[in-house]
Structure formats: structure tokens, C-alpha cells
Amino acid sequence: DRGDEYNYDPVEEASIISEPLRLSAHVAEDGPAHKRLDVAMALAVPEGLSGDRRARSQHIVELPIELSASLYGGLKRVEFVSTVHNCARDHRLRVALRTPAHVCDALYDTAFGVVHRPLDAVEPRGTEAFCPAAPHRTVTAVEGATGPAAIMSRGLYEVEPRRESE
């Protein structure tokens, strides 16, 4: 990402890195009231941008990620806690979570209330690279015929709810 604090600006011809360099998982807790799965992985990512900011660096570094997924008896939710040891510059790290909710819009909290936004782009595409992500403060929720889904977080400033691809 060679954008600024407001806009995402992808590097042309940059491939998506989605296969981990290392991956391990183990059941950390398996009790009747609490179950937890711990996952450790590392991605091999470019260290940053090249000097002219037109390409990714040829130097590769490891990006370690730790993830815990917890289930609690009687609660219909999964709690995720992730830690990223960021060793790279100028990149965009994204997580994709599939939910059973088939939706067409989403609700987002703001400083003074809740706003409703459709999932389809409503802003015209201009000279900047179009990014369908929306601002996220602490809660984003969707609801469909199969039920609701929400993400609650700290330190995550954008989300991109999508329709299930056909």
C-alpha cells in the first residue's frame, strides 16, 4: 500500500500473499465452559516499497501472527484475539471472515450514533483507486434471513462487508 492515512493506493502488479510460510494449531483449552484454539503462523512479505514507491521491495521479512478462537458454553459467538508482530512497512493486512448471514447492507457505529450503508458502492470511481472499505469505529453489524453477524474491535479502522460471491 503506497497510500496515505486516508486512502488505499495499491502497488500495480502486486500479488496477494495468502499462503503462510509456517502454520501450526493446537487446542489450548477443551473444557465444558470454554474451548480455545490457538493458531500461530507467519507470512513472507516484502519489507516495504522500493525507493521510487512503484513496486514492492525484493527483500522479504517474516510477519508473525498469533490467533486465538474461543467458544463459551451458552453463548452463540466466537471470540477472536489476534496479535500481529509487524516487521514490514507499506502493506495492508486483511482478514476475511465468512458468516452465515446473506445481507445487502450493514450498520456501523459512529461518534454520535449508528449509520446504515449499502454494500454496493455509492461513491463514483474517480482518479484514485476505488476501495470499497467503510470506516469502522468499534462495531459493524449485518443481518440477513439466516441471522445476524457483527464484528467488535479496537484498533481496526475499516471493514468491508461483502455479499457472498455467487
Side-chain angles (χ1 to χ4, degrees):
D1 177 13
R2 60 184 173 185
D4 55 27
E5 63 268 18
Y6 302 106
N7 299 305
Y8 169 62
D9 185 14
V11 176
E12 291 180 32
E13 299 180 23
S15 61
I16 294 172
I17 299 166
S18 60
E19 293 298 318
L21 184 63
R22 285 190 313 278
L23 176 64
S24 65
H26 73 279
V27 176
E29 290 188 46
D30 193 16
H34 181 229
K35 299 181 184 306
R36 189 179 89 227
L37 176 69
D38 288 344
V39 177
M41 68 179 81
L43 299 172
V45 301
E47 181 180 40
L49 291 175
S50 62
D52 63 4
R53 299 181 56 82
R54 294 179 185 218
R56 289 177 167 176
S57 166
Q58 296 298 313
H59 186 252
I60 302 298
V61 297
E62 284 190 23
L63 183 73
I65 301 169
E66 298 162 2
L67 175 70
S68 292
S70 292
L71 297 171
Y72 294 91
L75 297 178
K76 293 183 177 183
R77 70 175 185 233
V78 179
E79 289 188 7
F80 294 99
V81 175
S82 61
T83 304
V84 178
H85 303 281
N86 188 14
C87 309
R89 300 178 318 277
D90 310 317
H91 67 100
R92 185 179 192 207
L93 181 63
R94 300 175 65 180
V95 175
L97 300 172
R98 185 174 296 219
T99 72
H102 293 276
V103 299
C104 60
D105 56 16
L107 299 171
Y108 306 81
D109 69 330
T110 66
F112 301 106
V114 175
V115 295
H116 164 268
R117 293 187 180 106
L119 298 187
D120 297 324
V122 292
E123 294 183 22
R125 296 178 189 248
T127 57
E128 294 180 345
F130 176 74
C131 179
H136 171 84
R137 185 177 169 142
T138 56
V139 177
T140 297
V142 294
E143 185 173 24
T146 56
I151 182 170
M152 294 171 259
S153 66
R154 291 180 303 193
L156 177 69
Y157 302 109
E158 67 179 22
V159 293
E160 188 180 329
R162 297 187 197 183
R163 296 179 198 282
E164 182 69 32
S165 57
E166 311 267 348

